[in-house]
Amino acid sequence: EREPTRHLPSPWLSQSAYEKTPAARDKADPCKDADQALDEARWKRWEGFPSDEILKSEIEKYHLRVEVWSKESPAQVAVAFGGTVFDNRNDWRANLRWLIPKHDDQYTLVVARLGPAFVQEFKRRLAQREWGGANPSIVATGHSLGGGLAQQFAYALPLDGDVPRVSEVYAFHPSPVTGYFSVEEYIREENAKGLLIERIYERGEILALLRSLQSVFFKPSEANPVITGYRYSVVHKADPIKDHSLGKFACALAEKLGMNGLREAKGE
């Protein structure tokens, strides 16, 4: 039961980021409001981040949905990325970046602008003793497209002695695209040291087959980073598209946590 308990907060973080735009919010159907669930767990959003108006306009332009949340005990920061909105062209340009000649997209923005802005804001909050005397850990999470972006954020975080590397990534129903080769080699290799990436998915969801095919040619790393797959069977819809829904998955996982018979298999 350890994995379900550890995995549960992250879907709500990802769901909150996903609902940042009206089109996504209208299509979301979780059993519980994501922000309410996070508030009950004592997470607090970094309001006003980023403060840079130019970066804000770029985030809107590329349809990047990202939120940062903090928790005092245990001291932790979570960077959460929203997933694909089906009818948004910028989301699909990011999803299909392997097939499109060089272009700027959400992955480009994470490397060039979001990472540096996060480092600056983290250091400001650390100087103000937001976590008392504790040094918070940093995790990244996301769903679908957001799962790929969360992995890239971990690889791309600018190296700074005052800012810890991302320790864990929780990627739900993640895209097989991670933007790994869009990060300078020395940065991604340093950030990959000790990094744990958990790719968490509902059995039969639509991207599972793509990730399986990818793993035939690119076996998941066993060290630096350690990449592990966790397959759940909690939604029981037998519909690859509906089973991809993060809201339904988070609700089903939360419901099953209090019951016997949670069926969970480790390994992709």
Side-chain angles (χ1 to χ4, degrees):
E1 300 288 318
R2 185 177 64 87
E3 282 79 13
T5 303
R6 189 176 74 253
H7 292 160
L8 185 59
S10 295
W12 297 123
L13 290 160
S14 302
Q15 182 73 15
S16 179
Y18 174 73
E19 295 173 359
K20 198 168 186 178
T21 56
R25 189 163 52 246
D26 292 343
K27 295 176 183 177
D29 58 352
C31 57
K32 188 171 187 177
D33 178 75
D35 287 3
Q36 179 186 348
L38 293 168
D39 181 67
E40 290 173 358
R42 305 199 178 195
W43 286 94
K44 295 187 182 299
R45 184 190 281 110
W46 282 13
E47 299 293 352
F49 176 81
S51 58
D52 185 319
E53 293 299 325
I54 295 176
L55 178 53
K56 282 183 178 178
S57 68
E58 291 177 332
I59 285 174
E60 183 176 352
K61 174 184 175 182
Y62 291 110
H63 199 239
L64 177 65
R65 273 114 332 105
V66 57
E67 295 184 342
V68 183
W69 294 74
S70 288
K71 192 171 186 178
E72 290 185 11
S73 181
Q76 192 173 56
V77 175
V79 185
F81 295 88
T84 302
V85 174
F86 185 79
D87 57 0
N88 186 275
R89 181 176 63 179
N90 284 309
D91 286 1
W92 285 105
R93 281 173 61 83
N95 282 324
L96 300 174
R97 71 191 326 251
W98 287 348
L99 307 177
I100 301 173
K102 289 186 177 181
H103 67 280
D104 289 343
D105 58 18
Q106 295 175 34
Y107 286 92
T108 312
L109 192 58
V110 167
V111 175
R113 302 280 281 118
L114 181 69
F118 172 84
V119 166
Q120 182 179 3
E121 179 64 11
F122 181 94
K123 291 171 70 173
R124 185 187 72 81
R125 290 172 179 263
L126 192 65
Q128 293 183 343
R129 296 180 62 81
E130 181 166 317
W131 300 277
N135 293 315
S137 61
I138 301 174
V139 301
T141 186
H143 169 252
S144 190
L145 166 61
L149 293 166
Q151 291 172 79
Q152 190 199 44
F153 178 83
Y155 292 133
L157 190 65
L159 304 178
D160 187 302
D162 296 324
V163 180
R165 295 190 298 267
V166 175
S167 59
E168 293 176 281
V169 175
Y170 300 108
F172 295 88
H173 305 161
S175 164
V177 180
T178 65
Y180 180 80
F181 292 106
S182 298
V183 181
E184 290 188 51
E185 184 176 5
Y186 80 96
I187 294 177
R188 70 177 187 243
E189 288 187 352
E190 188 65 28
N191 280 326
K193 293 178 181 177
L195 175 63
L196 303 177
I197 296 176
E198 300 192 353
R199 295 172 177 170
I200 305 150
Y201 63 101
E202 174 68 13
R203 181 178 181 180
E205 63 91 12
I206 195 167
L207 293 183
L209 178 59
L210 286 177
R211 291 192 304 274
S212 294
L213 290 173
Q214 181 189 40
S215 67
V216 172
F217 301 99
F218 303 99
K219 185 179 178 181
S221 172
E222 296 181 355
N224 299 325
V226 176
I227 299 178
T228 307
Y230 289 88
R231 185 180 68 244
Y232 287 91
S233 183
V234 292
V235 178
H236 307 310
K237 290 293 183 183
D239 183 318
I241 295 177
K242 291 182 179 179
D243 286 351
H244 187 69
S245 165
L246 180 62
K248 287 183 172 63
F249 177 80
C251 290
L253 186 59
E255 180 182 359
K256 291 292 184 180
L257 266 175
M259 302 179 183
N260 293 325
L262 176 64
R263 293 191 294 155
E264 185 267 335
K266 180 177 176 181
E268 288 186 323

